[in-house]
Amino acid sequence: MAGNSSTFVAGLTVAALATVGFLAFQASASAPADLAEPRRSGAPVTAPKAHRDKEHPAALPADSGVGARVVYSLDDDRVWLVAANGKVNRTFKVTPGSVDPLTGDYSVTSRSGAVTGTDGTPVEHVVRFATVDDVTIGFSAALDGSLPEPDPTVRTGGIRESVADGDAMWGFATIGQSVVVIP
């Protein structure tokens, strides 16, 4: 009987080690190639250098990416919805939250038709593309049309746009759509 229980324990040990080895292999196979510099969720891939036309501040900045994309300027608080052919479909001013994304290339990761913003305001057409220090960054339109200045004491990532601009963003920025954040 003692031989049978030690054989049983040895079998369990081998099975456990095989399982741990298999799980370790799966984890290493799905790990990023470069673990030396961990990235935040939605961390940018590149940091574009966009050149502005000082005489035409609403003009799409040069070097702001290629193809269909949303371009968001941190300095100008402006968004451009750019078609695949490079033509600007729409541009508009926005009011940022208190937390900005880093400059770089992102993709739309999720969308919500209607939610309550972190400031308690009902918002619609939420288009999310980044996370910075556990704060989700995305575009949204307040149902009441308000564009409040951000409260620096509250960490918010909502970039507010008018209801009409929110409708345009919602129709343009589907899951996976490129979002380029420039200085």
Side-chain angles (χ1 to χ4, degrees):
M1 180 100 175
N4 285 342
S5 64
S6 58
T7 302
F8 179 72
V9 170
L12 283 177
T13 302
V14 168
L17 289 173
T19 301
V20 169
F22 176 73
L23 292 174
F25 170 76
Q26 278 189 322
S28 69
S30 64
D34 181 10
L35 291 176
E37 296 180 23
R39 292 187 165 194
R40 289 175 247 170
S41 173
V45 176
T46 62
K49 292 184 177 146
H51 302 288
R52 308 277 196 311
D53 181 341
K54 302 286 187 215
E55 294 181 28
H56 303 96
L60 179 66
D63 303 324
S64 62
V66 296
R69 64 199 181 280
V70 175
V71 177
Y72 171 44
S73 170
L74 297 172
D75 292 346
D76 298 327
D77 294 331
R78 178 171 288 280
V79 168
W80 293 265
L81 305 180
V82 184
N85 63 4
K87 181 179 182 269
V88 175
N89 288 343
R90 186 181 190 103
T91 184
F92 49 91
K93 295 288 279 182
V94 294
T95 302
S98 60
V99 178
D100 283 332
L102 299 172
T103 59
D105 295 338
Y106 299 85
S107 294
V108 173
T109 56
S110 70
R111 296 169 19 120
S112 296
V115 298
T116 300
T118 53
D119 62 356
T121 303
V123 295
E124 67 178 355
H125 298 152
V126 180
V127 175
R128 299 175 198 91
F129 64 91
T131 301
V132 176
D133 297 329
D134 298 323
V135 175
T136 301
I137 310 291
F139 302 102
S140 65
L143 291 175
D144 65 6
S146 64
L147 295 168
E149 288 298 317
D151 178 350
T153 65
V154 180
R155 295 176 48 77
T156 61
I159 303 164
R160 292 286 169 82
E161 53 205 2
S162 73
V163 172
D165 293 332
D167 289 344
M169 176 70 77
W170 184 255
F172 185 83
T174 57
I175 299 292
Q177 178 63 59
S178 174
V179 178
V180 180
V181 178
I182 60 174

